[in-house]
Amino acid sequence: MIIVRIIPPSPLVNLTKMEKLLYEASLEGNINILLMLLQEDPLILDRVTIDRHGDTPLHIASMLGHVDFVNEVITRKPHLAMERDSQKRVPLHIASAKGHVEIVKLLLSANPETCLARDRDGGNPVHLAAVKGHREVVKELVQAQPHAARAMVQQDTILHLCVKHNQPEVLKLLVETMDDHEFINTKDADGNTILHLAVADKQVQTINFLLLNTTIEVNVTNTNGETSMDILAQLHRDLFYQQIMQSLTRAGAVEANTRGSRRQVPRASRTNTGFDRILEYHTKPTSLIYLKEEQPEKEDWLNRKRSSLMVVASLIATMAFQAGTNPPSGVWQDDDSSHQAGFAIMAYKHVTLYHIFLVCNTVDFVSTFSIILLLISGLPFLKHKVFLWILMVIMWIATTSMSITYLVSILVTKPTPQSKTFKQVAGGIVLVWIGLMTLLVVGHTIRLIAVATRKFQNLVLPRKRTIISPVGNWA
């Protein structure tokens, strides 16, 4: 079977020799070749523009930052500044996105109206420069055409784009230049102001600027009836969360509920929702329903318990492995008629105690290793308290086995294990341990009985649960 690969033609295919030279000159920014071609054919720039629907030489030079080449073309053919490529972009779009300030000035001098030109996605050169963070370019464009900054892109203002793409310096420039209360508080398709978006993305610098230097409305709600404080309540609580909380509280921000009343602090942390750094982005926070009886600290408590169990289980498993490979009294170092090298000395000298040691140490190792495997498995049922309680019971068994292993090791290595003092100490330790284990078992048994009784009562006499703050779905 013969496979035929079709290679798409390059931009220079089907061009005349002079046109190819013109494109090469635009790639290199070679003015000498441009002047030579114009001398031979004064209409070559117009001819290439008419025959081609992709990038013109002016687009290419604007993208690559060839200032002198652009200046020469604009001086001779200023109308080429309005020519569009396949994406409906004029050369000013390209230069603005790339941040070439000098080329932007040249293109604006040829035709300031190009600042209002829209590409296929609806963006004008000011939008592209703002998204890319080119502050000086934005400054030049806004001075040339102030109305260009007020154009909307898919119901987003240029201020929304600055926040979504995390461009605080450009945002400051635009806010200070425009100084428009209504424009600053404009909402996007989901009813979010720029403060909503900045809080959701934890942009501390932007939030402080908006609260201290603008007339942003801190308690305005979006289409789901949420204020900026409601958005903050959905985020993970970290250092940024605390800083934003302090700033919003000082500014008088409050949280809104479904009845229209206000509460000063969020009741629970909610799922953090990030922002995609693309032009077509629309905010989609996760919808959650919070019940009055739920405690936000429950998940943190379970996580701490699981972490503690993992640490203790790892430590005990290490001790059990070490004791198993290197038992008390060591191993024989040579072969003899009564023993073999490498075998445990205790297995020959203290047969009964060695069996007890081996059983308890094995139980110890298997129990803790099972806990480690379960905790790292990520199984969903391990997030429930009842299974965490089962793991704690297994840990009790492991610690009890470890204690017996320790006692056997002391009996084997002590010169006079039958002494009265040793028996008293060992007996006291056993009594204390039995008492502690009894206390734990009784305490947890009473607790489980109480929980079971309460659940049975709720089942027989169910109580109506109150929904505090429903958050609607964001499509």
Side-chain angles (χ1 to χ4, degrees):
M1 182 177 64
I2 301 176
I3 300 176
V4 179
R5 179 178 295 177
I6 301 176
I7 301 176
S10 68
L12 302 183
V13 175
N14 298 327
L15 293 179
T16 65
K17 182 179 180 180
M18 292 183 61
E19 291 171 342
K20 290 180 180 179
L21 288 174
L22 178 59
Y23 273 100
E24 291 176 357
S26 64
L27 288 171
E28 300 173 0
N30 195 322
I31 301 178
N32 295 329
I33 296 178
L34 173 63
L35 295 177
M36 180 189 69
L37 294 174
L38 288 173
Q39 185 176 1
E40 294 185 16
D41 184 0
L43 299 178
I44 187 172
L45 289 171
D46 299 281
R47 187 176 294 109
V48 170
T49 303
I50 293 174
D51 295 339
R52 301 293 296 173
H53 300 287
D55 293 333
T56 67
L58 187 56
H59 283 86
I60 296 173
S62 299
M63 178 174 56
L64 298 177
H66 299 317
V67 179
D68 295 335
F69 192 96
V70 172
N71 185 38
E72 193 66 33
V73 173
I74 289 299
T75 301
R76 294 173 179 270
K77 304 288 183 178
H79 65 278
L80 294 181
M82 286 297 295
E83 292 296 327
R84 297 176 180 267
D85 61 8
S86 59
Q87 304 297 320
K88 293 187 177 182
R89 295 172 299 191
V90 297
L92 186 59
H93 279 102
I94 308 298
S96 300
K98 290 294 183 179
H100 301 315
V101 181
E102 295 302 322
I103 295 180
V104 167
K105 292 179 180 180
L106 291 174
L107 294 172
L108 287 175
S109 64
N111 191 342
E113 295 299 320
T114 56
C115 196
L116 302 173
R118 300 280 191 128
D119 61 13
R120 191 175 63 178
D121 297 320
N124 61 37
V126 185
H127 295 134
L128 297 184
V131 165
K132 295 295 184 179
H134 301 312
R135 187 178 185 277
E136 294 302 318
V137 173
V138 172
K139 184 177 181 180
E140 293 292 334
L141 295 173
V142 173
Q143 288 179 352
Q145 285 290 346
H147 294 291
R150 297 182 178 275
M152 305 279 285
V153 181
Q154 299 180 359
Q155 301 187 41
D156 284 339
T157 67
I158 192 173
L159 301 183
H160 287 94
L161 296 178
C162 288
V163 177
K164 289 179 179 181
H165 293 267
N166 197 12
Q167 301 295 348
E169 295 303 322
V170 178
L171 176 69
K172 293 177 183 178
L173 172 65
L174 291 169
V175 169
E176 293 169 356
T177 302
M178 303 175 75
D179 193 20
D180 187 336
H181 171 79
E182 182 178 353
F183 188 72
I184 292 173
N185 289 280
T186 302
K187 299 181 179 181
D188 63 7
D190 296 314
N192 292 307
T193 65
I194 54 178
L195 183 59
H196 283 98
L197 302 183
V199 170
D201 208 25
K202 290 187 178 180
Q203 298 180 21
V204 178
Q205 180 182 355
T206 300
I207 294 169
N208 290 335
F209 170 76
L210 293 175
L211 296 177
L212 297 176
N213 300 281
T214 70
T215 57
I216 191 74
E217 297 178 6
V218 296
N219 290 320
V220 66
T221 58
N222 57 21
T223 53
N224 289 307
E226 293 181 319
T227 65
S228 56
M229 190 70 86
D230 292 306
I231 298 296
L232 178 64
Q234 302 179 39
L235 307 181
H236 175 68
R237 298 192 177 188
D238 53 13
L239 179 60
F240 292 144
Y241 177 95
Q242 298 297 334
Q243 294 176 357
I244 296 171
M245 170 66 73
Q246 293 176 3
S247 298
L248 290 176
T249 303
R250 285 196 297 266
V254 292
E255 196 174 1
N257 60 24
T258 56
R259 297 184 299 275
S261 61
R262 308 282 181 175
R263 54 182 187 269
Q264 288 294 330
V265 294
R267 298 180 60 86
S269 59
R270 307 179 188 177
T271 303
N272 189 12
T273 57
F275 282 86
D276 295 331
R277 298 295 192 259
I278 56 175
L279 192 62
E280 295 80 10
Y281 173 81
H282 286 286
T283 312
K284 295 182 180 180
T286 303
S287 173
L288 293 175
I289 295 180
Y290 289 88
L291 300 178
K292 185 176 181 179
E293 296 176 349
E294 289 182 346
Q295 297 180 1
E297 295 82 10
K298 178 181 178 181
E299 187 66 24
D300 292 336
W301 181 85
L302 291 175
N303 289 333
R304 290 196 300 270
K305 288 296 182 182
R306 286 193 291 266
S307 299
S308 300
L309 283 175
M310 174 65 78
V311 173
V312 176
S314 301
L315 179 61
I316 295 177
T318 302
M319 296 170 60
F321 179 84
Q322 183 66 25
T325 57
N326 188 20
S329 299
V331 296
W332 296 108
Q333 301 298 319
D334 56 352
D335 291 326
D336 198 339
S337 58
S338 62
H339 61 263
Q340 295 181 6
F343 283 77
I345 297 175
M346 187 169 59
Y348 291 85
K349 298 292 186 179
H350 310 278
V351 179
T352 303
L353 290 177
Y354 180 75
H355 289 164
I356 297 175
F357 170 86
L358 189 60
V359 171
C360 292
N361 192 67
T362 302
V363 171
D364 189 10
F365 180 79
V366 173
S367 300
T368 53
F369 202 71
S370 299
I371 293 174
I372 295 173
L373 288 177
L374 288 172
L375 289 176
I376 66 177
S377 66
L379 296 176
F381 63 81
L382 294 174
K383 297 181 179 180
H384 297 285
K385 295 179 66 174
V386 62
F387 292 101
L388 185 63
W389 184 84
I390 293 175
L391 294 181
M392 292 176 63
V393 172
I394 297 175
M395 182 60 71
W396 295 345
I397 297 174
T399 53
T400 302
S401 299
M402 184 181 66
S403 301
I404 298 175
T405 302
Y406 173 79
L407 182 61
V408 171
S409 300
I410 295 298
L411 287 173
V412 172
T413 56
K414 184 175 177 59
T416 56
Q418 302 302 322
S419 66
K420 183 178 180 180
T421 302
F422 178 82
K423 291 182 178 180
Q424 291 177 348
V425 172
I429 293 175
V430 171
L431 290 176
V432 171
W433 184 260
I434 293 175
L436 179 61
M437 293 301 297
T438 303
L439 178 63
L440 289 175
V441 171
V442 172
H444 280 276
T445 302
I446 295 175
R447 181 174 175 272
L448 287 176
I449 293 175
V451 172
T453 303
R454 185 164 56 251
K455 289 187 176 182
F456 178 77
Q457 292 176 350
N458 293 337
L459 183 63
V460 176
L461 300 173
R463 293 181 297 175
K464 185 176 180 180
R465 309 185 88 180
T466 305
I467 295 178
I468 287 295
S469 180
V471 184
N473 282 328
W474 292 36

